[in-house]
Amino acid sequence: MERKQMDEGLYTKVSHDGVDTNHHGAVTIPIYQNSLFAFENHESFDQAMKDVLAATVYSRGNNPTVQYLESKIADLEAAEKARCFASGMAAIAGSLHALLRSGDHVICVNQAYGPTRQFLDELSERYQVEVTYVDGCLLSDFEDALRPNTRLIYLESPTSGLFQLQDLEGVSSLAKRAGALTMIDSSWATPCFQRPLTWGIDLVLHSMTKYFSGHSDCLGGVVAGRADLIDEIANKGYMLFGGVMTPHTASLMIRGLRTLPLRMERHQRNGLIIAEYMEKHPLVNRVNHPGLPSHPQHALARKQLDGFSSLFSFETQVSVELLKKWADALRYFRIGVSWGGFESLVTVGQTPASRNLGGTNPSVARLFIGLEDPQTLIEDIEQAWRQVIEA
């Protein structure tokens, strides 16, 4: 089993502050549980109102606790600026709404997060934003879909169903030649394992609910990138929509951020152990994990990823009904959506993405591997199979 080594500098970045926070020596940023911030006189108030994107006036715009988190994420992503939202979907919807106009064309990978596609479809129906969905595994998929009015190429790499990748450097170069923007949902990798901006991508999005939080106890989203783009999103899709992150949530996210590299190393280790085990199982046809040499895009994964997280899927000819019974028999895997916390999760179905494989459309189970002892999880998987097969 080969694991890529994490950049040791990430540990320092999440543990120490690059700026003087000046909060009476507090080692943790205080929770500024304020709805508003008062001024001594109208001169200072008027000055602040001239640049509400930077000033601390009202927590629907800026809050010191949230701003601190934004600065840390911008640093991790090598971005000029970042904005945190109330959820990952708030970050996605706010960003798309701010950047797109009627008559614009969007190219989106067809395995993107379901609600993202739903939002794009709404923009298409209600505001005449044209959307083309592509497989995205080949650069030619994007080249063939380009139009003179293409405004944005939306990526999700790896995807969270079949875990396909897109060539970030190739797509960003193509988009720049066409005068289009690029945006990526990089929730699977986190900045620990992938920094899309260094490959030329314009904007990177995360569902912070996942690995950033790490404790399955809060929702959040973030978009990071060039300052002018982030300011446009902040002005049109952040303050006006109101889907802002609360200071208390920001405090929980900061707590999660402190241990993010440490947890991601454990997730990488556990995920690869279980993926390699599943790949050898007689009932499993295929394991969709970019870290496995058997993955058709493993070479691309090795190029643009610095490591591999612990969410993957496997396919089997076992019926969906039987696979659900197997999932029900698991003791250490909970049945639930989302991922990124300390606990292992499983979901079962025949996802629409599985039809891209052709043939008999196999049953698909998605596993999120938490922080438990991997041998315990393997034993759990085995006992669940025995229950189902022997029954």
Side-chain angles (χ1 to χ4, degrees), residues 144-166:
D144 294 344
L146 275 174
R147 301 178 186 174
N149 61 332
T150 300
R151 165 67 171 162
L152 176 71
I153 299 178
Y154 188 95
L155 310 173
E156 183 180 311
S157 184
T159 58
S160 58
L162 293 181
F163 304 89
Q164 293 181 348
L165 285 73
Q166 300 97 53

Side-chain angles (χ1 to χ4, degrees), residues 30-319:
I31 301 175
Y32 280 83
Q33 197 68 44
N34 299 55
S35 60
L36 60 90
F37 300 85
F39 296 81
E40 292 183 1
N41 52 59
H42 265 87
E43 181 180 358
S44 58
F45 174 73
D46 292 342
Q47 187 62 37
M49 292 302 292
K50 290 179 181 178
D51 189 3
V52 293
L53 291 180
T56 306
V57 178
Y58 187 55
S59 280
R60 181 163 55 82
N62 291 311
N63 176 280
T65 311
V66 179
Q67 286 176 298
Y68 173 84
L69 176 61
E70 291 168 344
S71 70
K72 298 296 286 185
I73 295 172
D75 187 29
L76 289 176
E77 287 287 6
E80 291 179 356
K81 265 188 175 182
R83 271 287 172 173
C84 290
F85 288 74
S87 68
M89 199 58 224
I92 293 168
S95 299
L96 291 174
H97 186 274
L99 297 175
L100 296 174
R101 306 286 184 276
S102 178
D104 284 343
H105 175 238
V106 178
I107 303 172
C108 179
V109 291
N110 60 17
Q111 287 188 43
Y113 180 51
T116 300
R117 289 192 50 154
Q118 184 180 350
F119 186 79
L120 284 172
D121 291 343
E122 284 287 321
L123 290 180
S124 177
E125 181 179 342
R126 299 176 65 183
Y127 302 112
Q128 291 74 55
V129 172
E130 299 176 274
V131 183
T132 301
Y133 294 104
V134 299
D135 181 74
C137 287
L138 300 176
L139 191 57
S140 59
D141 295 337
F142 299 98
E143 290 176 320
D144 294 344
L146 275 174
R147 301 178 186 174
N149 61 332
T150 300
R151 165 67 171 162
L152 176 71
I153 299 178
Y154 188 95
L155 310 173
E156 183 180 311
S157 184
T159 58
S160 58
L162 293 181
F163 304 89
Q164 293 181 348
L165 285 73
Q166 300 97 53
D167 180 348
L168 304 189
E169 186 176 32
V171 173
S172 66
S173 178
L174 175 68
K176 283 177 172 57
R177 292 196 302 270
L181 295 172
T182 47
M183 181 184 297
I184 183 173
D185 182 340
S186 190
S187 301
W188 185 90
T190 80
C192 294
F193 292 150
Q194 182 170 259
R195 285 172 289 282
L197 302 186
T198 65
W199 295 103
I201 301 299
D202 294 303
L203 292 164
V204 57
L205 293 150
H206 293 279
S207 171
M208 298 183 70
T209 309
K210 312 297 194 293
Y211 286 120
F212 275 94
S213 165
H215 294 76
S216 300
D217 57 4
C218 56
L219 300 175
V222 67
V223 57
R226 289 201 330 252
D228 62 318
L229 293 176
I230 298 302
D231 284 348
E232 186 173 0
I233 292 167
N235 193 35
K236 299 175 181 177
Y238 180 78
M239 286 192 285
L240 294 183
F241 273 21
V244 304
M245 180 176 285
T246 68
H248 183 261
T249 296
S251 179
L252 292 174
M253 291 295 182
I254 292 166
R255 174 207 60 185
L257 192 66
R258 302 298 191 193
T259 62
L260 181 62
L262 186 67
R263 288 185 286 105
M264 293 310 294
E265 286 208 62
R266 176 72 178 189
H267 282 300
Q268 174 178 227
R269 174 180 176 271
N270 283 6
L272 283 171
I273 289 173
I274 304 301
E276 289 177 342
Y277 156 76
M278 296 300 295
E279 194 169 41
K280 297 172 184 175
H281 199 282
L283 293 176
V284 173
N285 296 354
R286 169 172 160 171
V287 176
N288 302 307
H289 189 306
L292 295 177
S294 59
H295 192 284
Q297 295 175 292
H298 182 65
L300 179 60
R302 296 287 300 177
K303 172 187 173 182
Q304 63 192 30
L305 287 165
D306 295 325
F308 308 103
S309 73
S310 61
L311 182 74
F312 65 91
S313 64
F314 70 89
E315 298 152 30
T316 173
Q317 293 307 130
V318 170
S319 68

